[in-house]
Amino acid sequence: MQTMNLSSVTSRALNGIESPVVTVEVHVSNGLPSLSIVGLPEASVKESKDRVRSALLSSGFQIPPKRITVNLAPADLPKSGGRYDLPIAIGILIATGQLDGPNIERLEFIGELALNGELRSIKGALPSLLAAHSSSRICVLPEGNQAEALLSQSASDLSANFILVRDLKEACRVVLGEQLIPPKTQLKIHHPNLDYPQDLSDISGQLQAKRVLEIAASGHHSLIMVGPPGSGKSMLASRLVTLLPALTQQEAIESATIHSITGQEIGGEHFYKRPFVNPHHTASAAALVGGGSIPKPGAISLAHNGLLFLDELPEFTRNVLEALREPLESKRVEISRVNQQVSFPANCLLVAAMNPSPSGFFPDDPLGRCQDTPDQIHRYQKKISGPLIDRIDLHLEVPAVDLSDLQGDGAVGESSAQVRDRVMEVRTLQLKRQGCLNCDLTPKELKEHVILDALSLVILDKAVNQLGISARGYHRILRIARTLADMERLADVGSQHIAEALGYRSLDRIH
């Protein structure tokens, strides 16, 4: 759609993991020479007029001495970044009659312009490519985003819906109907060869901890490990991700989309591997949960469909940990700003680790290395609030590794692949029975799938009354018991499963 002094070019914004359409309207009229941009642009978008002006002149085009107004519609959607440089430049060329656009209605443009007219890659190309395909349009984008473009095609089994260009001149040739043949290169995606450098067999001893890892992986249950330095908590956490099955195609696309938004490199060799995110304890609330003036995903969203490991949990500041409470329940992060509300997915498996005391050792340490008073230990453990502990399914005490295990005869334990096969079977059983993993069972569904006998009820009632377990903790015990029964391929939950599940709630008595 165009007239002699008005043009309309399609582009896309970023709003969370969504990429809504933005119509770039350019109007050229008589008046004092100027170039203005309206439509709720951030500072980086306002600066695009200088980049566009230089790019047009460097590419051999003219900027007539006219009043040029650029409108980014809809006006109530915030625009940020340099992704609008290319559509603005194309719109100006069409509106000023320097370019004829017979194919403009079937094209979408995103890309940041250099002063010499070359195109630089932009963040968030993957969600824009997927959205363009759903609208049956072809996306014209910088050559620097080739990996994401090829990934969107290979991963989604889509026909090519993109054209890669190096500079403004090539983009203009696309508008004229030239170079409409996309590259024939395909990005090789390794599916789903989970060849991790770490393996569960690397861990000596710690049989109880290995069982708990399998429970956590089988039911997608969150886990906190308490143990002295060197007991292998970090090593156990890094092996847990190797027990999880490969990402499905939809999960892989979701995870890749989040990494695309943050500008991280997306490779085909890791496409189906679940992410492992390990933020430092100095991370801010915005870094962990997400936020900023222009909302961006945090570590909990980067770990979506994967594992979030918080080592040295008490060293995180209190407000950072408290910010985790709502996302752990809802599995989403909602960020509200004056002009927009952004939602990021956050369905990750939380694993945390901490020492039992400020000195790092259990009070009953046989070598007497714990010199902390009970009050000091209590204050240290109370750095983790009760409501947060209540949201973690499994509480595991990890003892120091026995020297005999380290100096063993070289016998190798089960590999990650062996345990992962069992985990996949248990998960398949859950999905077939109830359509979700056990961690997502609602109280109503628990009544249907967890029917307790008289002995189980007595054990559970006694434990709840003595430990003061909340209703949330009660339901988490039932979910763990259901997973334990599934691991034994039992249709009913027995008293032994309830008793074992209660054994994994040791921190409830502290809070």
Side-chain angles (χ1 to χ4, degrees), residues 158-191:
L158 304 176
S159 56
N161 69 311
F162 58 88
I163 299 174
L164 301 171
V165 292
R166 289 175 294 182
D167 52 35
L168 180 58
K169 289 181 179 179
E170 284 194 2
C172 292
R173 297 216 299 269
V174 171
V175 175
L176 293 172
E178 302 176 24
Q179 294 192 350
L180 290 178
I181 301 176
K184 296 181 180 179
T185 311
Q186 291 289 324
L187 188 69
K188 186 177 181 181
I189 295 179
H190 300 261
H191 176 39

Side-chain angles (χ1 to χ4, degrees), residues 36 116 129 345 379 464:
S36 60
N116 62 358
L129 283 159
R379 276 183 305 182
V464 168

